[in-house]
Amino acid sequence: MLAVTGANGQLGRLVIDELLKKVPASQIVAAVRNPDKAQALAAKGIQVRRADYDQPSTLVSAFANVDKLLLISSSEVGKRTEQHKAVIDAAKAAGVSLLAYTSLLHADTSPLMLATEHVATETYIKQSGIPAVILRNGWYSENYTGSVAAAINHGAVFGCARAGKLATASRADYAAAAAIALTQPDQAGKVYELAGDDAFTLSQFASYISAASGKKVEYNNLSQAEYTKLLEQVGLPAAVAAMLGDSEAGAAEGALFDDSKQLSMLIGRATTPIEQSIKRVL
């Protein structure tokens, strides 16, 4: 049995889609916080089980008879470490033979504040003794393409990454990698640094939007403080704005760049170019 936590989420659903190409639906467990929201998965013959990161008692039963488990990192920054520990403890208690974890690109050396909880989780996995494969995911292209409409409307892309290179890939690319890690043999002990094949700066990103939309869009580089304040002004919670500002500042120093092409090698095809992702949004 293969199980995916957070299976109702954007990445989780894509991983499930990839697994369905490889194994029967009856061999897949969708571990979700709210099973009522996973009826579409159940209709495909997938086993839907309640697994709430904040209620450890739900986790051991959710992982019963599971051989390989994908722990998709929680979206609740600040609570991740304890939530992940609960999943790892339950996986060990359930006798899971392989744990895959979606970490952060170069987590062990990354200057991003996001890295702290990922490093803590990786350390706890190692201490648990569960055979594991670490999927250190770079930035999703969707982190940027979600703002394409606003960029066209304002004629500008805003950020504080200066000329830092961003090696993004689509969620679908990372989902394909996760599915392979769960289904291919000899994955235990591997650490993958996963990023897109072709990096870009935010100035280039703006130019790609211009080319695809026919509207002039330029990159407006702000200070980290200015960018963080702007994110708060458009409605993001202060903690989220601070995290994104920190990430952009880290990108300026190369924290979101990797040219090893481990992602494309793992999935057996080129990663999705950012230009293609922009066109899909438009």
Side-chain angles (χ1 to χ4, degrees):
M1 298 287 288
L2 308 176
V4 178
T5 71
N8 269 339
Q10 292 175 302
L11 179 62
R13 286 184 176 270
L14 291 172
V15 173
I16 295 288
D17 288 342
E18 290 293 328
L19 288 176
L20 286 170
K21 300 175 185 177
K22 302 176 184 298
V23 299
S26 59
Q27 294 300 307
I28 301 173
V29 172
V32 299
R33 178 172 291 179
N34 187 346
D36 291 338
K37 295 182 179 180
Q39 294 180 5
L41 296 176
K44 295 178 180 180
I46 293 167
Q47 296 187 45
V48 175
R49 300 179 184 175
R50 182 166 179 254
D52 189 332
Y53 291 165
D54 292 322
Q55 297 187 28
S57 61
T58 67
L59 299 174
V60 176
S61 58
F63 303 152
N65 300 315
V66 167
D67 181 35
K68 298 179 181 180
L69 171 67
L70 173 64
L71 168 54
I72 293 179
S73 57
S74 165
S75 60
E76 297 180 86
V77 176
K79 296 177 62 177
R80 285 172 160 178
T81 302
E82 292 307 311
Q83 290 176 329
H84 294 169
K85 284 182 177 181
V87 173
I88 295 161
D89 288 342
K92 185 173 182 177
V96 169
S97 67
L98 180 72
L99 176 66
Y101 172 62
T102 60
S103 186
L104 175 71
L105 185 66
H106 300 299
D108 55 339
T109 58
S110 176
L112 304 191
M113 66 169 61
L114 278 176
T116 302
E117 290 179 300
H118 287 296
V119 170
T121 300
E122 288 189 20
T123 300
Y124 197 74
I125 290 171
K126 186 174 182 179
Q127 292 171 346
S128 75
I130 302 175
V133 52
I134 306 300
L135 305 167
R136 288 179 173 167
N137 289 352
W139 238 225
Y140 299 139
S141 295
E142 289 84 350
N143 291 355
Y144 290 103
T145 58
S147 63
V148 165
I152 293 171
N153 184 48
H154 294 289
V157 169
F158 296 94
C160 61
R162 301 201 303 271
K165 292 183 177 181
L166 305 158
T168 71
S170 70
R171 277 196 183 89
D173 294 335
Y174 291 114
I180 288 170
L182 280 185
T183 55
Q184 292 298 306
D186 304 319
Q187 295 298 306
K190 293 187 177 181
V191 177
Y192 293 105
E193 303 290 353
L194 303 177
D197 290 340
D198 303 305
F200 58 91
T201 65
L202 287 182
S203 291
Q204 289 173 315
F205 179 63
S207 69
Y208 296 152
I209 296 174
S210 295
S213 67
K215 303 288 181 66
K216 185 177 181 180
V217 177
E218 298 180 333
Y219 174 50
N220 187 345
N221 189 75
L222 307 174
S223 69
Q224 182 178 345
E226 289 171 332
Y227 181 57
T228 300
K229 183 177 180 179
L230 175 63
L231 293 175
E232 291 181 20
Q233 289 173 343
V234 299
L236 290 182
V240 175
M243 179 272 290
L244 292 175
D246 174 80
S247 298
E248 286 273 301
E253 304 300 327
L256 296 176
F257 173 72
D258 181 273
D259 60 359
S260 65
K261 293 183 168 52
Q262 292 183 42
L263 177 53
S264 57
M265 287 189 286
L266 183 60
I267 64 179
R269 61 169 174 78
T271 60
T272 307
I274 189 65
E275 300 96 320
Q276 185 175 329
S277 294
I278 291 170
K279 290 176 181 177
R280 284 179 179 173
V281 170
L282 292 175

